[in-house]
Amino acid sequence: SQKIEQNSEALNIQEGKTATLTCNYTNYSPAYLQWYRQDPGRGPVFLLLIRENEKEKRKERLKVTFDTTLKQSLFHITASQPADSATYLCALEKDSNYQLIWGAGTKLIIKP
Amino acid sequence: EPEVTQTPSHQVTQMGQEVILRCVPISNHLYFYWYRQILGQKVEFLVSFYNNEISEKSEIFDDQFSVERPDGSNFTLKIRSTKLEDSAMYFCARRTSVGGSNEQFFGPGTRLTVL
């Protein structure tokens, strides 16, 4: 069956360090992989999109990698800040119909 | 680009009642989506809407659900006879029309509580 797995345990990182979150998937061949941020009681907020032919994408302190051989994406936040504390979701585009399939998210806690 | 807005922010209803959740996007976007998220669980796709028609729906989106865009602006999700398990956050999202990629922009959500 098709699965998207994100680390279900909260990730605690010291302020200023780099946070790395993992998204693994099986039985998909996504054209795109996306990362979103979600704060409690709020809707997901789009952060970055990476295409299957891209290895890496950056935006300010954020970096996403995409390894279609390993079926894995890594999401990095450098120089992390307490304001980065949130749940981070990865999502894959299913087929070509633009439907997004979501991971359960990883809660990131940045400690001052 | 601005996000969509959703009303109401919170809806409380009795089991078996009908509810209508509303999404107000920018009128020139073609792709819209409804998702739900049960408390503590992952976001689940319900239905996508393209050019005023349903383009895809999930197994969750059974006969109790319907979507409409009655006046070309508001975009509604109707649940005909609510069940306890329909309690969740319901998010409307639009797809950006730039570049053909699929980043989606979500509304603030409606929290539905079925008693």
Side-chain angles (χ1 to χ4, degrees):
Chain A
S1 63
Q2 298 167 325
K3 273 188 188 177
I4 301 171
E5 293 182 343
Q6 296 185 254
N7 197 336
S8 58
E9 293 183 7
L11 182 63
N12 287 276
I13 299 292
Q14 194 66 37
E15 182 178 6
K17 302 292 185 184
T18 295
T20 299
L21 288 74
T22 304
C23 176
N24 294 298
Y25 59 93
T26 59
N27 297 328
Y28 282 114
S29 295
Y32 304 99
L33 187 146
Q34 304 183 33
W35 284 88
Y36 290 76
R37 169 185 173 140
Q38 187 174 29
D39 292 284
R42 308 290 293 273
V45 175
F46 172 75
L47 296 175
L48 278 171
L49 176 150
I50 188 165
R51 293 174 172 78
E52 59 179 341
N53 61 350
E54 296 176 319
K55 296 292 185 188
E56 182 179 297
K57 199 74 154 303
R58 292 176 184 260
K59 179 182 175 184
E60 298 174 349
R61 294 185 295 112
L62 309 181
K63 185 178 84 171
V64 171
T65 64
F66 194 11
D67 189 326
T68 54
T69 301
L70 291 178
K71 295 186 181 295
Q72 180 182 78
S73 175
L74 299 179
F75 176 80
H76 307 271
I77 304 176
T78 58
S80 59
Q81 304 166 0
D84 295 327
S85 299
T87 295
Y88 290 86
L89 312 174
C90 78
L92 305 179
E93 182 177 321
K94 179 185 174 187
D95 303 323
S96 58
N97 291 325
Y98 310 118
Q99 177 193 144
L100 288 180
I101 306 298
W102 297 80
T106 297
K107 185 173 182 179
L108 176 64
I109 300 168
I110 306 298
K111 296 184 175 179
Chain B
E1 294 184 69
E3 296 177 359
V4 298
T5 59
Q6 292 185 243
T7 59
S9 57
H10 191 188
Q11 175 85 47
V12 181
T13 190
Q14 295 291 324
M15 189 170 56
Q17 295 296 305
E18 175 183 283
V19 294
I20 297 176
L21 311 181
R22 289 183 173 80
C23 174
V24 184
I26 304 299
S27 60
N28 60 351
H29 288 104
L30 296 177
Y31 291 92
F32 303 100
Y33 305 82
W34 281 101
Y35 294 91
R36 79 171 185 191
Q37 187 175 31
I38 296 170
L39 185 63
Q41 298 187 24
K42 63 181 178 181
V43 177
E44 298 175 293
F45 169 77
L46 292 177
V47 65
S48 57
F49 202 72
Y50 169 67
N51 207 20
N52 296 328
E53 291 184 356
I54 291 176
S55 61
E56 191 168 6
K57 55 186 180 181
S58 72
E59 293 174 352
I60 303 168
F61 195 87
D62 60 22
D63 292 344
Q64 293 299 311
F65 291 87
S66 62
V67 288
E68 286 184 349
R69 199 173 187 196
D71 54 7
S73 57
N74 286 352
F75 181 44
T76 64
L77 174 69
K78 182 190 292 185
I79 309 175
R80 288 189 182 81
S81 178
T82 51
K83 303 185 285 285
L84 295 176
E85 54 265 37
D86 293 326
S87 295
M89 285 289 287
Y90 287 81
F91 295 108
C92 170
R94 62 159 180 82
R95 175 180 161 235
T96 183
S97 57
V98 175
S101 56
N102 192 28
E103 52 261 45
Q104 295 184 15
F105 296 88
F106 282 71
T110 293
R111 180 176 297 281
L112 177 64
T113 302
V114 182
L115 302 175

